[in-house]
Amino acid sequence: MGHLTEIYEENFELVFKYLMTLCRDTDVAEELTQETFYKAIHSIDRFNGSCKISVWLCQIAKHTYYQYVDKQVKQPKFSELQNGPSIEQLLVAQEDKIQLYRYIHRLKEPYREILHLRLLGGLSFQEIGGILGKNENWARVTFYRAKVKLQEEVKQSE
């Protein structure tokens, strides 16, 4: 148990900051950080040591964040329905978001991941390169290629 506590103490701040760059909400980042470590504890036996534990934890955090976003897209809050735009406007906007996510989901890695980090996370190319173990230039070029692939995906669907 001491080993897990040590991993938590050494990596909590990094995982929290990573999630803050994705969601930009302290409460959500704290909740997702806790959920990340919960998932990590339950799957620690699958950690094979092929990367740093911090990278492994950030991957879990990323997937936890994506699950959170999917839930938010699928379930608009009741208060937003009362005070915000009409239900018809929400449904059209939600359908557009869902369709965009479908197009992005069809892309192969690393295109899918770089689009999520840049568009949803608002990360800089330097930060993206650091997370993915590449340089800033690679992140820029890959993001450009991802946009081209996304445009091709949209055109094929139409």
Side-chain angles (χ1 to χ4, degrees), residues 35 66-76:
E35 191 172 336
Y66 290 163
Q67 290 171 342
Y68 169 79
V69 169
D70 285 343
K71 287 179 186 174
Q72 296 303 307
V73 168
K74 292 176 184 172
Q75 299 173 351

Side-chain angles (χ1 to χ4, degrees), residues 88-106:
E88 292 84 8
Q89 291 171 327
L90 280 175
L91 288 174
V92 169
Q94 189 173 5
E95 284 178 26
D96 290 344
K97 279 184 191 176
I98 291 171
Q99 188 60 40
L100 176 62
Y101 286 123
R102 283 187 184 132
Y103 290 138
I104 291 173
H105 185 70
R106 291 179 193 162

